[in-house]
Amino acid sequence: MSSKPYAKLPSSYECGKFQSRLFEFLDGELNPVEEAKAQQHLAACAECRQEAALARRCDSALASASNSIASPGDLRAGFYLKLAETKRRNPVWQNWKVGIPAVLATGLLLLVASKFPVMSGRGNAPHTPAIASDIPHATSAKESHLNLSPIDDFIFQSESPLFIVKSDTDLKAVKEHSSSNSRRGSHRRLQVAKNELNIRSFRKSIHDLRASNLAVLLSKNEVKSIATNESLSEVARATDAPLRAPRLSLASFTPRAELHVSDDERDFMSASLQDTTQVSKNQGAILGIDERNEASDVQPAELPALP
Amino acid sequence: MNQEACATGWTTPRNGERTVTTDDDNALVARFLRGENSAFDTLFCRYQDYVYNILYGIIGSQEEARDLTQDVFVQVYRSLPKFRYGSRFATWLYRIAVNRGVDAARSSKRWRFLPIFDEPAFAQTPADSETEPESVFERRLETETVQKILQLCSLNHREALVLRYYQNLSLEEIAETLNCTAAAAKVRLFRARKAFKDQYVAQFGSDALCVAKEGK
């Protein structure tokens, strides 16, 4: 009898039952009684033994495969590029919090303009289409959407942070700055935007970029344009007028955010400004500073080392 | 930016290896939400290999998995303000990765081919390659076969297998990631293992049983 232990097994414990509990058996999750029955069945049934061995083999193959996957390497560079690109592709008007009020306001404005044509300054001309530029308030709104500059932008990446630069001369400046900090070897340049920027989306992108710890170079005229809400051409016409200090201008277009600039950051800005003006007279500002809305005790974000 | 913190994050997750404490992750998330981007950098370094392994297991292409890993972290970066600490950060991250991988696999199901035999996807152990080249070759062949078989399994099964074997998650963690009960996760994993075994037999044919005998 002892040579044929399977003869004692209850008839219910067949191959089907064993195989239905196979993985629990392999994982050691059966209770002692079931475990003993399974062991007995396994000793008697060659087919189930093979099934169990095969299942074990699959388990070990899966486990060893997971150990053998090569690391993908440092994926951060591509991540930060994608992040910047995503932000550029999702302008502020796609955000419902801004987009819906903007659409409602525009609709209301058009409605008012059509009901009260006198506001357009054209007297009683009810059939004249009221275009936005006829309305004083809308005129300023249109002005605020004037293109800042359709010139090429580049993201230049040393390691971190990223620099958004507005021209090749800026790129040269950042490269020099970067190489002076021994950050060669991982230079990557990406053409970001040839499309025209408007002030609103530009502000948003600047905000996002700063939140991403990016540094942005702007021309003095662009800074003034943003700060005063004037078009670039108007700013250019008034070039004789003395420009405010770039940093003050930068603070003025982030009215809801208090600007905290540490000494290091201030030094970095000053140094960058000096570097930039050596390359191009147009360059006026760098936005790499850390912006804080609330907590003033937060450590400032990391900035590239000073040259 | 945060090289020191990153230095520990580049190893491929191994079987049995656990990541970090939930508190640590939550602290990093909180720091990031306060404006410290270096905290996100640390999270990225810590989890990029885990996310990559999930995506590679589901997709089967290294290049696509790299690309999707970056996409996942972009999504995480943008969604972190919505993170409510209701679950572990890692579980939340894995869920995003699994969903992204499944979406990508579904969208490219009709035209995607399996390039796994063309890519050196698996790392060789230098010591083994000198002393036992044949066994290393066999091991590499087997791991490549595993990846191929995984791609033959259904997405449902693949998810469960990847989370169990590539991520070494417990049943409870798998359930949390897949948003189901532990019992449902157990059933799914059981079926997945059975499906994998069937595909394994189909792949090796009669050799599978010989291999199994030797393996035992």
Side-chain angles (χ1 to χ4, degrees):
Chain A
M1 290 291 268
S2 60
S3 62
K4 292 182 180 179
Y6 50 88
K8 289 182 180 176
L9 284 173
S11 58
S12 61
Y13 212 93
E14 297 164 345
C15 293
K17 182 163 184 183
F18 174 81
Q19 289 182 17
S20 73
R21 314 291 302 269
L22 173 61
F23 293 107
E24 287 167 294
F25 169 72
L26 292 179
D27 295 343
E29 291 179 357
L30 293 179
N31 64 46
V33 177
E34 289 264 351
E35 171 83 19
K37 287 178 183 174
Q39 289 286 8
Q40 281 181 338
H41 179 76
L42 206 59
C45 179
E47 189 182 339
C48 288
R49 255 200 324 272
Q50 284 184 341
E51 282 292 309
L54 189 57
R56 277 199 195 97
R57 180 74 177 169
C58 288
D59 280 352
S60 68
L62 276 163
S64 74
S66 73
N67 291 339
S68 306
I69 298 175
S71 172
D74 190 345
L75 299 176
R76 282 181 301 165
F79 159 71
Y80 282 113
L81 287 174
K82 279 192 174 188
L83 190 64
E85 197 178 346
T86 311
K87 282 172 178 170
R88 184 179 61 77
R89 276 190 312 210
N90 296 319
V92 67
W93 53 267
Q94 285 186 5
N95 183 348
W96 67 269
K97 285 179 184 172
V98 177
I100 291 177
V103 168
L104 289 177
T106 307
L108 186 64
L109 207 61
L110 289 174
L111 185 68
V112 169
S114 62
K115 292 286 182 190
F116 304 100
V118 66
M119 285 184 68
S120 67
R122 296 198 174 190
N124 48 359
H127 296 296
T128 306
I131 56 172
S133 59
D134 290 334
I135 305 166
H137 181 66
T139 304
S140 64
K142 190 192 175 190
E143 289 283 319
S144 72
H145 281 77
L146 284 174
N147 302 324
L148 268 183
S149 64
I151 59 175
D152 295 352
D153 288 2
F154 294 95
I155 284 182
F156 172 82
Q157 180 183 357
S158 52
E159 275 182 7
S160 60
L162 300 173
F163 291 85
I164 304 294
V165 297
K166 301 291 290 180
S167 67
D168 277 325
T169 48
D170 290 344
L171 190 64
K172 187 180 169 190
V174 178
K175 269 185 179 173
E176 284 173 359
H177 172 77
S178 175
S179 59
S180 69
N181 283 294
S182 305
R183 285 180 174 167
R184 298 173 190 172
S186 58
H187 295 167
R188 186 180 295 187
R189 205 169 76 160
L190 176 71
Q191 190 164 344
V192 177
K194 278 187 177 178
N195 59 332
E196 298 170 344
L197 297 168
N198 62 49
I199 287 176
R200 223 186 244 179
S201 68
F202 196 75
R203 280 180 179 173
K204 176 70 166 67
S205 61
I206 293 291
H207 179 82
D208 286 343
L209 292 168
R210 294 176 68 188
S212 311
N213 199 17
L214 304 178
V216 180
L217 294 175
L218 299 174
S219 72
K220 279 184 180 178
N221 282 355
E222 285 165 346
V223 170
K224 185 169 172 59
S225 170
I226 292 169
T228 59
N229 239 10
E230 292 175 339
S231 70
L232 263 183
S233 54
E234 285 171 333
V235 172
R237 260 186 253 122
T239 44
D240 292 341
L243 292 173
R244 286 185 291 170
R247 211 175 345 159
L248 296 177
S249 301
L250 300 182
S252 68
F253 77 87
T254 53
R256 285 183 300 174
E258 193 180 349
L259 222 52
H260 296 276
V261 185
S262 70
D263 290 339
D264 284 347
E265 288 167 341
R266 190 172 287 111
D267 291 342
F268 171 70
M269 287 171 65
S270 305
S272 302
L273 280 171
Q274 286 167 11
D275 284 352
T276 315
T277 46
Q278 282 171 7
V279 178
S280 166
K281 290 177 184 176
N282 276 350
Q283 311 311 317
I286 181 160
L287 307 174
I289 48 184
D290 190 26
E291 180 182 317
R292 299 277 185 268
N293 289 329
E294 298 166 359
S296 57
D297 56 340
V298 178
Q299 293 297 314
E302 293 177 32
L303 286 166
L306 290 171
Chain B
M1 186 184 291
N2 202 0
Q3 299 296 339
E4 199 172 315
C6 289
T8 57
W10 298 127
T11 53
T12 304
R14 297 284 183 250
N15 214 8
E17 181 182 311
R18 280 292 167 201
T19 52
V20 285
T21 62
T22 306
D23 291 344
D24 195 10
D25 283 346
N26 287 348
L28 284 169
V29 170
R31 277 172 53 198
F32 169 69
L33 294 178
R34 285 202 304 266
E36 282 186 69
N37 287 310
S38 61
F40 190 85
D41 211 57
T42 307
L43 285 170
F44 188 100
C45 295
R46 186 174 287 172
Y47 284 106
Q48 74 147 27
D49 279 8
Y50 292 89
V51 170
Y52 171 81
N53 280 6
I54 289 178
L55 292 163
Y56 179 63
I58 292 175
I59 297 293
S61 156
Q62 279 183 296
E63 198 53 46
E64 214 172 336
R66 275 194 209 102
D67 202 41
L68 284 172
T69 301
Q70 292 164 348
D71 289 348
V72 164
F73 277 102
V74 168
Q75 190 177 341
V76 168
Y77 185 96
R78 299 174 74 86
S79 306
L80 257 183
K82 298 174 195 166
F83 181 62
R84 295 286 172 246
Y85 304 98
S87 60
R88 290 193 316 138
F89 169 78
T91 311
W92 183 71
L93 174 66
Y94 293 162
R95 192 181 303 155
I96 291 175
V98 167
N99 290 341
R100 197 58 180 255
V102 168
D103 286 347
R106 280 190 184 134
S107 65
S108 59
K109 195 175 179 182
R110 293 185 178 222
W111 55 265
R112 193 164 57 85
F113 61 94
L114 304 175
I116 53 173
F117 287 110
D118 301 327
E119 297 177 350
F122 296 96
Q124 291 189 34
T125 312
D128 288 351
S129 63
E130 288 172 9
T131 56
E132 296 176 337
E134 271 188 36
S135 65
V136 168
F137 175 76
E138 282 172 10
R139 186 181 165 203
R140 195 160 61 87
L141 196 65
E142 185 179 74
T143 46
E144 285 177 353
T145 307
V146 164
Q147 190 60 30
K148 186 182 177 186
I149 293 172
L150 262 183
Q151 301 309 306
L152 296 174
C153 295
S154 72
L155 274 171
N156 259 348
H157 294 157
R158 229 181 294 168
E159 286 172 358
L161 290 171
V162 164
L163 291 174
R164 177 71 189 92
Y165 291 97
Y166 282 24
Q167 299 298 102
N168 199 36
L169 297 189
S170 67
L171 268 182
E172 288 72 23
E173 288 166 328
I174 293 173
E176 204 179 339
T177 305
L178 298 179
N179 205 18
C180 62
T181 63
K186 188 175 181 179
V187 169
R188 194 195 286 198
L189 185 60
F190 171 83
R191 288 177 180 160
R193 288 164 82 182
K194 188 171 184 311
F196 184 90
K197 182 168 69 70
D198 293 345
Q199 292 287 359
Y200 194 86
V201 172
Q203 186 70 24
F204 281 109
S206 56
D207 290 344
L209 298 177
C210 301
V211 170
K213 277 179 186 175
E214 288 164 13
K216 190 188 175 191

